[in-house]
């Protein structure tokens, strides 16, 4: 485990640390090395208030088992609000790219992955990579934060009709401006330069409606960005590897094939 930032952490608030050290400790990144040129940076889900281990470490160990180097990011959550979270996500991509030689990976084979609110964060850096969310702090920040591919597991995408209330409140606040909701409704910001994307969801998800994934896929389709999407008929929210539901657990096999198709491994 390494600190994501060096001396300067944008939007750092020491009072938050004193209030709840577990939730808002300094952002870190943990590597799970493998003999591969490809890497996946993982943002665990948790409604922007926690970081679920079954969507972080569990993913990393599985990716490592199929030959991909994985990184799990402990990004900031509530009481921090935007843009602290996306700053950590951008920094994570820059960090992995800066230390590519150290980990034996290719700078052009870096994917981001996230579930639920972590999926929102992965999609955020995939569509907003060209926006200046914080001032450069060191040499690492000179690297590009644009991912080469995106992996979304039952992601939060919309901040309007199909929103997840907890994620929206924790990220941009209960009284968020319309412009903030627009900015964080990520399907609205997909362009032809958005990275190719793998998406999976369940149609029975009651916490984050499947429309979130459908809207993102539709936006990708309209600008002819390559994507693969799997919608499963059963399963609640937050399944992670979904080993308890074999039909849904097929997403891992599909993802492995997609990773190979996109030359990440």
């Amino acid at each position: 485990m390494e600190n994501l930032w060096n001396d300067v952490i944008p939007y750092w608030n020491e009072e938050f640390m004193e209030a709840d050290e577990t939730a808002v400790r300094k952002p870190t990144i943990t590597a799970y090395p493998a003999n591969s040129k490809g890497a996946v940076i993982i943002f665990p889900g948790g409604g922007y208030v926690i970081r679920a281990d079954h969507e972080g470490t569990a993913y990393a160990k599985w990716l490592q088992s199929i030959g991909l180097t994985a990184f799990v990011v402990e990004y900031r959550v509530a009481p921090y609000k935007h843009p602290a979270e996306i700053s950590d996500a951008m920094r994570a991509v820059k960090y992995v790219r800066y230390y590519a030689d150290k980990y034996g990976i290719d700078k052009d084979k870096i994917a981001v992955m996230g579930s639920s609110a972590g999926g929102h964060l992965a999609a955020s850096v995939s569509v907003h990579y060209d926006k200046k969310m914080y001032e450069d702090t060191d040499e690492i920040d000179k690297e590009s934060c644009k991912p080469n591919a995106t992996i979304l597991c039952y992601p939060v995408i919309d901040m309007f009709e199909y929103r997840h209330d907890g994620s929206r409140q924790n990220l941009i606040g209960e009284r968020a401006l319309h412009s903030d909701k627009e900015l964080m409704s990520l399907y609205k910001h997909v362009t032809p330069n958005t990275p190719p994307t793998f998406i999976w969801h369940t149609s029975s998800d009651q916490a984050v409606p499947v429309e979130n994934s459908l809207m993102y896929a539709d936006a990708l389709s309209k600008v002819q960005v390559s994507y693969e999407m799997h919608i499963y008929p059963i399963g609640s929210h937050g399944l992670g590897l979904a080993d308890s539901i074999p039909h849904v657990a097929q997403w891992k096999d599909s993802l492995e094939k997609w990773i190979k198709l996109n030359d990440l491994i």
Side-chain angles (χ1 to χ4, degrees):
M1 179 185 295
E2 301 289 342
N3 287 328
L4 191 58
W5 303 89
N6 291 320
D7 296 332
V8 178
I9 306 176
Y11 315 111
W12 182 251
N13 189 323
E14 201 67 37
E15 293 179 2
F16 290 168
M17 174 73 91
E18 293 170 0
D20 188 350
E21 184 176 352
T22 300
V24 296
R25 57 181 176 264
K26 291 183 178 180
T28 62
I29 186 166
T30 302
Y32 293 78
N35 186 22
S36 172
K37 289 295 183 182
V40 180
I41 302 168
I42 303 166
F43 307 113
Y48 282 119
V49 70
I50 63 168
R51 293 164 299 268
D53 194 56
H54 76 287
E55 296 167 348
T57 303
Y59 285 174
K61 290 181 177 179
W62 172 72
L63 289 165
Q64 190 181 41
S65 76
I66 65 170
L68 273 168
T69 294
F71 297 85
V72 177
V73 180
E74 292 275 309
Y75 57 92
R76 281 170 285 179
V77 294
Y80 281 99
K81 292 209 166 13
H82 172 77
E85 293 85 350
I86 193 172
S87 297
D88 289 344
M90 289 177 162
R91 174 71 174 192
V93 179
K94 293 177 179 181
Y95 180 99
V96 172
R97 194 159 270 138
Y98 183 82
Y99 288 111
D101 289 344
K102 172 183 175 180
Y103 293 105
I105 61 177
D106 187 328
K107 285 187 174 187
D108 296 321
K109 296 182 185 294
I110 298 173
V112 290
M113 177 179 189
S115 301
S116 192
H120 185 270
L121 193 53
S124 293
V125 74
S126 297
V127 300
H128 291 315
Y129 60 85
D130 56 348
K131 296 179 177 63
K132 191 81 169 177
M133 294 295 178
Y134 66 91
E135 296 300 320
D136 291 357
T137 64
D138 55 22
E139 289 295 311
I140 294 174
D141 284 324
K142 293 179 180 179
E143 294 285 350
S144 168
C145 67
K146 182 182 179 181
N148 301 107
T150 307
I151 303 164
L152 304 178
C153 311
Y154 42 89
V156 173
I157 294 294
D158 185 36
M159 291 286 155
F160 291 100
E161 181 179 0
Y162 299 108
R163 68 188 178 274
H164 177 250
D165 286 331
S167 294
R168 188 175 83 171
Q169 181 170 332
N170 290 322
L171 181 66
I172 56 177
E174 190 172 351
R175 300 181 180 179
L177 297 174
H178 183 83
S179 59
D180 290 333
K181 297 174 189 175
E182 286 274 346
L183 183 70
M184 290 291 104
S185 291
L186 305 175
Y187 68 97
K188 294 177 177 287
H189 304 282
V190 168
T191 74
N193 293 319
T194 300
T197 305
F198 179 95
I199 310 168
W200 77 271
H201 215 124
T202 62
S203 58
S204 55
D205 192 328
Q206 297 298 305
V208 176
V210 69
E211 281 81 0
N212 283 266
S213 286
L214 295 173
M215 293 163 80
Y216 197 79
D218 182 59
L220 293 169
S221 182
K222 285 177 177 175
V223 295
Q224 299 182 345
V225 170
S226 173
Y227 72 94
E228 178 172 330
M229 181 167 65
H230 298 266
I231 305 297
Y232 300 100
I234 54 174
S236 59
H237 186 69
L239 290 175
L241 294 173
D243 290 334
S244 63
I245 309 177
H247 183 69
V248 183
Q250 294 177 90
W251 76 266
K252 300 191 296 293
D253 294 331
S254 297
L255 175 59
E256 184 175 359
K257 292 174 182 175
W258 181 84
I259 285 170
K260 292 176 180 177
L261 180 68
N262 285 273
D263 196 30
L264 293 173
I265 190 172

